[in-house]
Structures are given as C-alpha cells and as structure tokens.
Amino acid sequence: MFNPAKEVPSLELCKRLRVLGFPQEGGGWYYDISWYPPWVGLAFVENPPNDLFFRTCFIKAPTCRELGEWLPPINDTAYPFCIKLPRGFEWYVECVEDNEKRIKAKGLADTEPNARAEMLIWLVENGFVKFQSTEGAREE
C-alpha cells in the first residue's frame, strides 16, 4: 500500500526547506497544517491556488525525485549523495581540495527522503545550491 509519508521528508525538514526558499508552487504533495486544534496531514494538490490561505497553511513536501533534481550532479569536485545500509540512510558531501577528497559534512537519517532533505539543506546553507522561484530549476 502506498504511504506518502514514506515518500517525502518530515514536516520539520519541509519547514526548513521552505524557510531556505524551496519553491512552494506547483502540484504535488503538501503538508496541510490548517486544522485547529493542530493536526497535520499530507494532501496531494494538483493545481494549488495562489492565495494567502494556501501559502500560509500548506507546506510543499517534495518527493525523493523532486529533491534529487536540486542536488548537484556527481562530478570531479563533489560526490554529494551516498546511502549506506543497513544502519539507516547515511549521506555525505565530499569535495576535492588541494587534489584530495575531503568530507565536508555527513549525517544519518531514518528515511531516504529525510537524508536527501538534510543534505540539500546543508548544501543550501553552505552556498553550493541556490533555490530559484521557478519550479524544478537548479543552479549548477
């Protein structure tokens, strides 16, 4: 059975991505935080409205594929994503400095979407990736 909660990062990571500028437009999965008392659910929204209520109460929940579109390609200077099992999902960012590979950051997450989100957050916070307002765009 398909469970969208296993396909997208946690609400907390999605909140951090939104604060960093991850595009919030376009169809896909969103966390709905509009209920009172506080209740959070995932909703698939095909054509999200561009109004204040939606922008305030819905947070984009990107899938692994959507997160992967923002990750830098593997090349000579950065090997940005690695998953190791069975301990969980381990990620690292490795850069080449002075002709030597050096790990700049690493982490361990409980799911692949969380690992990708954590790595993308690190890359944005450290200036390796910049979000653009158009959906699916990536600065290389």
Side-chain angles (χ1 to χ4, degrees):
M1 178 181 223
F2 177 75
N3 181 353
K6 294 181 179 179
E7 305 299 324
V8 300
S10 69
L11 173 61
E12 293 308 313
L13 290 172
C14 289
K15 285 180 180 179
R16 288 183 62 198
L17 285 168
R18 178 166 79 170
V19 167
L20 291 171
F22 190 89
Q24 298 295 299
E25 65 269 355
W29 291 101
Y30 286 82
Y31 280 104
D32 177 355
I33 58 172
S34 64
W35 292 79
Y36 184 85
W39 174 87
V40 174
L42 277 167
F44 187 83
V45 182
E46 192 168 331
N47 295 306
N50 188 15
D51 60 27
L52 181 59
F53 174 78
F54 189 85
R55 290 191 313 266
T56 303
C57 297
F58 286 77
I59 299 171
K60 183 79 166 176
T63 62
C64 280
R65 181 197 56 79
E66 290 171 307
L67 291 166
E69 290 176 357
W70 287 97
L71 296 175
I74 295 174
N75 57 36
D76 294 340
T77 59
Y79 301 89
F81 191 56
C82 179
I83 300 173
K84 294 184 181 179
L85 299 171
R87 295 185 326 184
F89 295 92
E90 183 177 7
W91 63 268
Y92 66 88
V93 174
E94 186 177 79
C95 299
V96 176
E97 291 179 349
D98 301 323
N99 295 323
E100 287 187 35
K101 292 180 186 174
R102 298 201 171 117
I103 293 179
K104 292 291 192 181
K106 61 183 177 177
L108 185 63
D110 57 345
T111 67
E112 183 177 351
N114 284 348
R116 287 179 178 235
E118 288 176 8
M119 184 176 61
L120 184 55
I121 288 167
W122 186 90
L123 289 167
V124 171
E125 289 177 340
N126 288 278
F128 292 101
V129 172
K130 292 182 182 169
F131 293 129
Q132 299 168 352
S133 60
T134 56
E135 183 176 303
R138 173 171 86 191
E139 185 171 299
E140 306 206 38

